[in-house]
mmCIF file of all heavy atoms in Angstrom:
data_model
loop_
_atom_site.group_PDB
_atom_site.id
_atom_site.type_symbol
_atom_site.label_atom_id
_atom_site.label_comp_id
_atom_site.label_asym_id
_atom_site.label_seq_id
_atom_site.Cartn_x
_atom_site.Cartn_y
_atom_site.Cartn_z
ATOM 1 N N SER A 295 14.710 14.290 -26.549
ATOM 2 C CA SER A 295 14.499 14.874 -27.853
ATOM 3 C C SER A 295 13.098 14.445 -28.338
ATOM 4 O O SER A 295 12.653 14.874 -29.439
ATOM 5 C CB SER A 295 15.408 14.321 -28.904
ATOM 6 O OG SER A 295 15.379 12.841 -29.014
ATOM 7 N N GLN A 296 12.346 13.635 -27.634
ATOM 8 C CA GLN A 296 10.964 13.188 -27.983
ATOM 9 C C GLN A 296 9.960 13.606 -27.001
ATOM 10 O O GLN A 296 10.262 14.388 -26.016
ATOM 11 C CB GLN A 296 10.976 11.699 -28.155
ATOM 12 C CG GLN A 296 11.857 11.192 -29.270
ATOM 13 C CD GLN A 296 11.215 11.235 -30.670
ATOM 14 O OE1 GLN A 296 10.584 12.301 -30.920
ATOM 15 N NE2 GLN A 296 11.398 10.315 -31.473
ATOM 16 N N ASN A 297 8.715 13.067 -27.164
ATOM 17 C CA ASN A 297 7.733 13.420 -26.124
ATOM 18 C C ASN A 297 6.828 12.079 -26.275
ATOM 19 O O ASN A 297 5.559 12.374 -26.449
ATOM 20 C CB ASN A 297 6.891 14.603 -26.371
ATOM 21 C CG ASN A 297 6.294 15.116 -25.256
ATOM 22 O OD1 ASN A 297 6.395 14.609 -24.142
ATOM 23 N ND2 ASN A 297 5.399 16.197 -25.311
ATOM 24 N N LEU A 298 7.339 11.011 -26.006
ATOM 25 C CA LEU A 298 6.595 9.743 -26.230
ATOM 26 C C LEU A 298 6.169 9.182 -24.874
ATOM 27 O O LEU A 298 6.441 9.703 -23.811
ATOM 28 C CB LEU A 298 7.460 8.741 -27.030
ATOM 29 C CG LEU A 298 7.921 9.113 -28.414
ATOM 30 C CD1 LEU A 298 8.931 8.036 -28.961
ATOM 31 C CD2 LEU A 298 6.730 9.048 -29.330
ATOM 32 N N SER A 299 5.415 8.111 -24.991
ATOM 33 C CA SER A 299 5.011 7.423 -23.815
ATOM 34 C C SER A 299 5.199 5.896 -24.027
ATOM 35 O O SER A 299 4.937 5.495 -25.145
ATOM 36 C CB SER A 299 3.588 7.830 -23.471
ATOM 37 O OG SER A 299 3.047 6.917 -22.415
ATOM 38 N N ASN A 300 5.503 5.205 -23.001
ATOM 39 C CA ASN A 300 5.546 3.717 -23.123
ATOM 40 C C ASN A 300 4.047 3.272 -23.160
ATOM 41 O O ASN A 300 3.190 3.671 -22.534
ATOM 42 C CB ASN A 300 6.231 3.076 -21.888
ATOM 43 C CG ASN A 300 7.788 3.240 -21.945
ATOM 44 O OD1 ASN A 300 8.414 2.955 -23.023
ATOM 45 N ND2 ASN A 300 8.290 3.621 -20.800
ATOM 46 N N THR A 301 3.918 2.284 -24.125
ATOM 47 C CA THR A 301 2.650 1.680 -24.344
ATOM 48 C C THR A 301 2.152 0.943 -23.072
ATOM 49 O O THR A 301 2.942 0.118 -22.457
ATOM 50 C CB THR A 301 2.556 0.675 -25.495
ATOM 51 O OG1 THR A 301 3.139 1.224 -26.650
ATOM 52 C CG2 THR A 301 1.155 0.287 -25.888
ATOM 53 N N PRO A 302 0.889 1.229 -22.576
ATOM 54 C CA PRO A 302 0.450 0.479 -21.337
ATOM 55 C C PRO A 302 0.483 -0.979 -21.591
ATOM 56 O O PRO A 302 0.033 -1.547 -22.665
ATOM 57 C CB PRO A 302 -0.918 1.022 -21.075
ATOM 58 C CG PRO A 302 -0.938 2.414 -21.771
ATOM 59 C CD PRO A 302 -0.070 2.278 -22.966
ATOM 60 N N VAL A 303 0.913 -1.763 -20.664
ATOM 61 C CA VAL A 303 0.878 -3.233 -20.672
ATOM 62 C C VAL A 303 -0.484 -3.734 -21.088
ATOM 63 O O VAL A 303 -0.787 -4.666 -21.790
ATOM 64 C CB VAL A 303 1.431 -3.801 -19.446
ATOM 65 C CG1 VAL A 303 1.218 -5.434 -19.464
ATOM 66 C CG2 VAL A 303 2.890 -3.499 -19.287
ATOM 67 N N GLU A 304 -1.494 -3.177 -20.382
ATOM 68 C CA GLU A 304 -2.922 -3.649 -20.608
ATOM 69 C C GLU A 304 -3.338 -3.475 -22.096
ATOM 70 O O GLU A 304 -4.004 -4.318 -22.516
ATOM 71 C CB GLU A 304 -3.817 -2.840 -19.568
ATOM 72 C CG GLU A 304 -3.568 -3.108 -18.083
ATOM 73 C CD GLU A 304 -2.494 -2.108 -17.631
ATOM 74 O OE1 GLU A 304 -1.887 -1.344 -18.474
ATOM 75 O OE2 GLU A 304 -2.066 -2.280 -16.409
ATOM 76 N N THR A 305 -2.925 -2.432 -22.625
ATOM 77 C CA THR A 305 -3.330 -2.160 -24.057
ATOM 78 C C THR A 305 -2.663 -3.166 -25.000
ATOM 79 O O THR A 305 -3.402 -3.813 -25.851
ATOM 80 C CB THR A 305 -2.875 -0.697 -24.413
ATOM 81 O OG1 THR A 305 -3.591 0.196 -23.643
ATOM 82 C CG2 THR A 305 -3.250 -0.547 -25.900
ATOM 83 N N LEU A 306 -1.403 -3.459 -24.674
ATOM 84 C CA LEU A 306 -0.641 -4.509 -25.562
ATOM 85 C C LEU A 306 -1.359 -5.791 -25.389
ATOM 86 O O LEU A 306 -1.651 -6.490 -26.314
ATOM 87 C CB LEU A 306 0.680 -4.602 -25.110
ATOM 88 C CG LEU A 306 1.678 -3.509 -25.580
ATOM 89 C CD1 LEU A 306 3.084 -3.726 -24.966
ATOM 90 C CD2 LEU A 306 1.809 -3.380 -27.128
ATOM 91 N N GLU A 307 -1.672 -6.188 -24.187
ATOM 92 C CA GLU A 307 -2.131 -7.603 -23.874
ATOM 93 C C GLU A 307 -3.604 -7.663 -24.314
ATOM 94 O O GLU A 307 -3.951 -8.828 -24.761
ATOM 95 C CB GLU A 307 -1.958 -8.003 -22.376
ATOM 96 C CG GLU A 307 -0.536 -8.051 -21.982
ATOM 97 C CD GLU A 307 -0.310 -8.329 -20.602
ATOM 98 O OE1 GLU A 307 -1.384 -8.324 -19.807
ATOM 99 O OE2 GLU A 307 0.748 -8.868 -20.261
ATOM 100 N N ALA A 308 -4.395 -6.692 -24.218
ATOM 101 C CA ALA A 308 -5.796 -6.804 -24.620
ATOM 102 C C ALA A 308 -5.978 -6.798 -26.050
ATOM 103 O O ALA A 308 -6.974 -7.487 -26.547
ATOM 104 C CB ALA A 308 -6.547 -5.559 -24.026
ATOM 105 N N GLN A 309 -5.072 -6.313 -26.797
ATOM 106 C CA GLN A 309 -5.394 -6.245 -28.316
ATOM 107 C C GLN A 309 -4.512 -7.089 -29.156
ATOM 108 O O GLN A 309 -4.824 -7.236 -30.345
ATOM 109 C CB GLN A 309 -5.187 -4.748 -28.841
ATOM 110 C CG GLN A 309 -6.159 -3.714 -28.119
ATOM 111 C CD GLN A 309 -6.138 -2.358 -28.622
ATOM 112 O OE1 GLN A 309 -5.817 -2.175 -29.789
ATOM 113 N NE2 GLN A 309 -6.433 -1.423 -27.773
ATOM 114 N N HIS A 310 -3.579 -7.687 -28.582
ATOM 115 C CA HIS A 310 -2.554 -8.500 -29.284
ATOM 116 C C HIS A 310 -2.122 -9.752 -28.636
ATOM 117 O O HIS A 310 -2.234 -9.913 -27.386
ATOM 118 C CB HIS A 310 -1.208 -7.688 -29.572
ATOM 119 C CG HIS A 310 -1.454 -6.358 -30.173
ATOM 120 N ND1 HIS A 310 -1.947 -6.127 -31.461
ATOM 121 C CD2 HIS A 310 -1.418 -5.023 -29.598
ATOM 122 C CE1 HIS A 310 -2.077 -4.862 -31.631
ATOM 123 N NE2 HIS A 310 -1.730 -4.220 -30.544
ATOM 124 N N PRO A 311 -1.645 -10.742 -29.376
ATOM 125 C CA PRO A 311 -1.400 -12.095 -28.730
ATOM 126 C C PRO A 311 0.037 -12.086 -28.157
ATOM 127 O O PRO A 311 1.096 -12.518 -28.598
ATOM 128 C CB PRO A 311 -1.385 -12.935 -29.903
ATOM 129 C CG PRO A 311 -1.046 -12.193 -31.085
ATOM 130 C CD PRO A 311 -1.645 -10.881 -30.859
ATOM 131 N N VAL A 312 0.162 -11.391 -27.043
ATOM 132 C CA VAL A 312 1.495 -11.100 -26.400
ATOM 133 C C VAL A 312 1.049 -10.987 -24.914
ATOM 134 O O VAL A 312 0.121 -10.511 -24.489
ATOM 135 C CB VAL A 312 2.189 -9.838 -26.949
ATOM 136 C CG1 VAL A 312 1.412 -8.527 -26.689
ATOM 137 C CG2 VAL A 312 3.646 -9.760 -26.505
ATOM 138 N N ARG A 313 2.180 -11.419 -24.038
ATOM 139 C CA ARG A 313 2.143 -11.223 -22.642
ATOM 140 C C ARG A 313 3.365 -10.459 -22.228
ATOM 141 O O ARG A 313 4.491 -11.010 -22.474
ATOM 142 C CB ARG A 313 1.894 -12.567 -21.861
ATOM 143 C CG ARG A 313 1.747 -12.264 -20.411
ATOM 144 C CD ARG A 313 1.322 -13.514 -19.667
ATOM 145 N NE ARG A 313 2.237 -14.556 -19.644
ATOM 146 C CZ ARG A 313 1.860 -15.749 -20.219
ATOM 147 N NH1 ARG A 313 0.770 -16.119 -20.788
ATOM 148 N NH2 ARG A 313 2.825 -16.720 -20.221
ATOM 149 N N VAL A 314 3.347 -9.359 -21.531
ATOM 150 C CA VAL A 314 4.440 -8.572 -21.004
ATOM 151 C C VAL A 314 4.822 -9.241 -19.737
ATOM 152 O O VAL A 314 4.108 -9.144 -18.765
ATOM 153 C CB VAL A 314 4.112 -7.060 -21.017
ATOM 154 C CG1 VAL A 314 5.404 -6.371 -20.415
ATOM 155 C CG2 VAL A 314 3.792 -6.582 -22.304
ATOM 156 N N GLU A 315 5.967 -9.923 -19.619
ATOM 157 C CA GLU A 315 6.340 -10.574 -18.387
ATOM 158 C C GLU A 315 7.279 -9.724 -17.568
ATOM 159 O O GLU A 315 7.503 -10.163 -16.448
ATOM 160 C CB GLU A 315 6.976 -11.836 -18.828
ATOM 161 C CG GLU A 315 6.056 -12.813 -19.615
ATOM 162 C CD GLU A 315 6.331 -14.228 -19.498
ATOM 163 O OE1 GLU A 315 7.499 -14.607 -19.248
ATOM 164 O OE2 GLU A 315 5.390 -15.129 -19.735
ATOM 165 N N ALA A 316 7.803 -8.728 -18.102
ATOM 166 C CA ALA A 316 8.676 -7.815 -17.258
ATOM 167 C C ALA A 316 8.670 -6.449 -17.789
ATOM 168 O O ALA A 316 8.571 -6.246 -19.012
ATOM 169 C CB ALA A 316 10.114 -8.295 -17.213
ATOM 170 N N TYR A 317 8.458 -5.435 -16.942
ATOM 171 C CA TYR A 317 8.474 -4.050 -17.309
ATOM 172 C C TYR A 317 9.038 -3.302 -16.026
ATOM 173 O O TYR A 317 8.206 -3.029 -15.126
ATOM 174 C CB TYR A 317 7.058 -3.637 -17.722
ATOM 175 C CG TYR A 317 7.003 -2.058 -18.013
ATOM 176 C CD1 TYR A 317 8.135 -1.429 -18.612
ATOM 177 C CD2 TYR A 317 5.820 -1.390 -17.777
ATOM 178 C CE1 TYR A 317 8.035 -0.115 -18.940
ATOM 179 C CE2 TYR A 317 5.740 -0.068 -18.010
ATOM 180 C CZ TYR A 317 6.765 0.613 -18.660
ATOM 181 O OH TYR A 317 6.654 1.921 -19.012
ATOM 182 N N GLU A 318 10.246 -3.137 -15.917
ATOM 183 C CA GLU A 318 10.959 -2.748 -14.777
ATOM 184 C C GLU A 318 12.159 -1.987 -14.916
ATOM 185 O O GLU A 318 12.779 -1.984 -15.995
ATOM 186 C CB GLU A 318 11.112 -4.004 -13.824
ATOM 187 C CG GLU A 318 11.969 -4.993 -14.612
ATOM 188 C CD GLU A 318 11.887 -6.406 -13.959
ATOM 189 O OE1 GLU A 318 11.145 -6.535 -12.957
ATOM 190 O OE2 GLU A 318 12.448 -7.323 -14.531
ATOM 191 N N LEU A 319 12.660 -1.281 -13.992
ATOM 192 C CA LEU A 319 14.027 -0.639 -14.019
ATOM 193 C C LEU A 319 15.060 -1.654 -13.936
ATOM 194 O O LEU A 319 14.864 -2.618 -13.226
ATOM 195 C CB LEU A 319 14.067 0.408 -12.961
ATOM 196 C CG LEU A 319 13.074 1.571 -12.917
ATOM 197 C CD1 LEU A 319 13.268 2.514 -11.793
ATOM 198 C CD2 LEU A 319 13.106 2.400 -14.139
ATOM 199 N N GLU A 320 16.098 -1.338 -14.591
ATOM 200 C CA GLU A 320 17.286 -2.282 -14.508
ATOM 201 C C GLU A 320 18.277 -1.867 -13.581
ATOM 202 O O GLU A 320 18.946 -0.640 -13.789
ATOM 203 C CB GLU A 320 17.859 -2.314 -15.919
ATOM 204 C CG GLU A 320 19.119 -3.204 -15.941
ATOM 205 C CD GLU A 320 18.888 -4.724 -15.855
ATOM 206 O OE1 GLU A 320 17.648 -5.172 -15.664
ATOM 207 O OE2 GLU A 320 19.729 -5.454 -15.888
ATOM 208 N N PRO A 321 18.482 -2.461 -12.451
ATOM 209 C CA PRO A 321 19.532 -1.911 -11.380
ATOM 210 C C PRO A 321 20.927 -1.877 -11.989
ATOM 211 O O PRO A 321 21.325 -2.578 -12.952
ATOM 212 C CB PRO A 321 19.422 -3.076 -10.297
ATOM 213 C CG PRO A 321 18.091 -3.711 -10.449
ATOM 214 C CD PRO A 321 17.811 -3.668 -12.050
ATOM 215 N N ASP A 322 21.728 -0.931 -11.504
ATOM 216 C CA ASP A 322 23.125 -0.790 -11.983
ATOM 217 C C ASP A 322 23.283 -0.388 -13.402
ATOM 218 O O ASP A 322 24.391 -0.496 -13.844
ATOM 219 C CB ASP A 322 23.914 -1.960 -11.727
ATOM 220 C CG ASP A 322 23.988 -2.367 -10.147
ATOM 221 O OD1 ASP A 322 23.640 -1.439 -9.336
ATOM 222 O OD2 ASP A 322 24.456 -3.436 -9.899
ATOM 223 N N SER A 323 22.208 0.050 -14.149
ATOM 224 C CA SER A 323 22.380 0.288 -15.478
ATOM 225 C C SER A 323 22.830 1.757 -15.798
ATOM 226 O O SER A 323 23.134 2.062 -16.973
ATOM 227 C CB SER A 323 21.105 0.040 -16.180
ATOM 228 O OG SER A 323 19.914 0.796 -15.703
#
């Protein structure tokens, strides 16, 4: 129903005090 994109990890980490430690598919979900 949308047409969005996940924010690139590099963008989040470069501009904000945050570290993305996992960005992955969840098996068996």
Side-chain angles (χ1 to χ4, degrees):
S295 65
Q296 294 278 40
N297 201 8
L298 297 171
S299 173
N300 283 314
T301 311
V303 170
E304 297 82 357
T305 298
L306 284 174
E307 295 183 340
Q309 300 186 27
H310 306 290
V312 65
R313 183 166 67 237
V314 178
E315 300 200 339
Y317 176 33
E318 54 200 358
L319 297 177
E320 177 71 4
D322 295 348
S323 57

